[in-house]
Amino acid sequence: MSGMDALDQEIQNAARQRTDAEREFLRADVHLKELLVKGRAAGLGPSEMAKLTGFTREWVSKIAPDPKKSRQGAAQRRLDRLSDDS
């Protein structure tokens, strides 16, 4: 029965390692996304950041959209709603 106990322990250790690795990945993912948003606000383009990270330009754009376009789009939607109400 000690063979099963060893296997049980090995399974538990592997599960713990996986959980720790997933937490570390999520921390690193959040940090990267924060830096991409910061880079976008500082004027870096999605193509440039895609080259730095190895991710696609589209993924970078999705995570860190152009802050100017986001504001302009929101303002335009508000204006469109106001003109629809008239």
Side-chain angles (χ1 to χ4, degrees):
M1 218 199 261
S2 68
M4 286 302 285
D5 292 339
L7 181 57
D8 290 349
Q9 188 64 43
E10 205 173 335
I11 290 170
Q12 287 178 337
N13 289 340
R16 203 171 296 119
Q17 287 176 337
R18 184 191 180 283
T19 300
D20 292 345
E22 185 176 13
R23 280 190 194 122
E24 185 58 34
F25 168 79
L26 292 173
R27 265 193 297 273
D29 191 52
V30 167
H31 183 64
L32 175 60
K33 289 175 180 180
E34 288 171 350
L35 289 173
L36 291 174
V37 170
K38 194 176 190 179
R40 196 74 165 130
L44 292 175
S47 295
E48 186 176 354
M49 289 192 292
K51 288 177 188 174
L52 293 171
T53 62
F55 294 109
T56 65
R57 181 193 174 290
E58 291 76 16
W59 186 84
V60 171
S61 293
K62 181 180 171 186
I63 299 305
D66 186 351
K68 293 175 192 158
K69 287 185 180 177
S70 297
R71 276 184 250 137
Q72 289 171 349
Q76 187 61 51
R77 284 190 297 277
R78 278 189 227 107
L79 289 173
D80 291 345
R81 262 189 260 131
L82 287 173
S83 65
D84 288 345
D85 292 340
S86 306

